Amino acid sequence: MRGPYDLLRRTVSQLAYERRYGVRTAELIELDQLGIAAEGRGYYVPASWRILRRTLSRKEIGPTDVFVDFGSGMGRMVLEAARFPFGRVYGIELSEQLHEIAEANVRNTRQRLRCDDIRLVHGDALTFEIPDDVTVVFFNNPFQGTVFTSVIDRLVATLDRNPRQLKIIYYNPVEQQTVLDTGRAQLLRTLRHARRRVEGSPFGLTNVYQLT
């Protein structure tokens, strides 16, 4: 079992990474501090830097693949995705403050990234026009309820317009049943990303789904 030393070492490692590359992503912020608190919307806390490397292989990603992070915050997963050979990477963020920090993070690290087409969108996930060629979607529990259901329904609609395989990486999958209820999703794997978690709780887990 990992102890406090492991947590300290990982925290120091992440902060050292952020200092080295001149980025800022390691904060927890309540949405009322950002002025965007609303029913069905969560809080900002970044996912692990390693989660995409644990769920995606660079061999399976190519220039025709498109990545979308809903609730991209300060852009940590956008930066991670852009280290893969995606054709386009989108980050959708409702908070103007977090969006501006993400823009600065991308500027500071662009020369180290493989993807040249990074599109940070300051806007609402409910009004974002989801590309019909998106192949990987990331959620870090950014919203729940009708907001999440609407986004999932719109993702499925893109599959109806342009049949393909779509992978969903769902970090802290609070609304996992909504994904399965589409009848289009297959659970590929579940990863544990927390040392201690309450049995039966979605927190501390990452689910990977394939939608067709």
Side-chain angles (χ1 to χ4, degrees):
M1 178 181 294
R2 296 177 179 179
Y5 175 75
D6 299 284
L7 175 60
L8 176 61
R9 183 173 59 182
R10 187 167 67 247
T11 300
V12 170
S13 175
Q14 290 191 7
L15 291 176
Y17 181 97
E18 300 213 340
R19 170 174 284 188
R20 177 182 178 186
Y21 293 111
V23 300
R24 171 191 172 194
T25 67
E27 299 177 37
L28 187 156
I29 304 176
E30 298 291 344
L31 295 193
D32 56 0
Q33 296 176 255
L34 300 171
I36 58 172
E39 184 178 356
R41 300 186 185 273
Y43 48 84
Y44 170 74
V45 61
S48 167
W49 278 108
R50 299 181 179 88
I51 198 63
L52 292 189
R53 282 170 277 174
R54 294 182 64 193
T55 54
L56 292 176
S57 166
R58 282 180 170 79
K59 295 180 180 179
E60 66 179 302
I61 302 300
T64 62
D65 287 293
V66 177
F67 178 93
V68 176
D69 179 8
F70 285 98
S72 51
M74 298 181 184
R76 179 179 286 192
M77 286 303 104
V78 168
L79 296 175
E80 277 293 271
R83 296 174 68 185
F84 288 77
F86 281 101
R88 301 194 310 281
V89 170
Y90 291 84
I92 317 305
E93 176 52 50
L94 184 60
S95 164
E96 182 176 6
Q97 179 181 334
L98 298 184
H99 169 74
E100 290 176 351
I101 294 171
E103 288 185 316
N105 287 335
V106 169
R107 285 196 301 271
N108 290 340
T109 58
R110 185 173 285 278
Q111 63 184 1
R112 303 175 185 273
L113 306 177
R114 294 189 64 179
C115 177
D116 294 326
D117 193 350
I118 301 171
R119 308 185 187 188
L120 296 175
V121 179
H122 172 220
D124 196 319
L126 291 174
T127 57
F128 171 64
E129 187 173 345
I130 301 174
D132 281 349
D133 57 351
V134 59
T135 54
V136 180
V137 170
F138 184 83
F139 294 108
N140 179 12
N141 186 30
F143 33 70
Q144 304 87 39
T146 57
V147 179
F148 186 82
T149 299
S150 175
V151 171
I152 292 296
D153 287 346
R154 292 168 58 227
L155 283 170
V156 170
T158 72
L159 294 175
D160 293 336
R161 292 190 295 267
N162 178 29
R164 66 196 186 283
Q165 291 189 334
L166 170 62
K167 182 171 287 185
I168 292 179
I169 302 170
Y170 194 175
Y171 194 89
N172 295 322
V174 171
E175 295 279 358
Q176 55 190 319
Q177 193 59 46
T178 299
V179 179
L180 296 174
D181 284 347
T182 64
R184 309 279 288 272
Q186 175 187 2
L187 178 62
L188 299 179
R189 58 193 298 211
T190 296
L191 303 176
R192 179 171 174 165
H193 57 77
R195 299 184 322 284
R196 298 178 181 177
R197 54 177 302 274
V198 177
E199 190 65 31
S201 168
F203 291 98
L205 298 177
T206 296
N207 283 349
V208 182
Y209 305 91
Q210 191 80 60
L211 266 67
T212 55

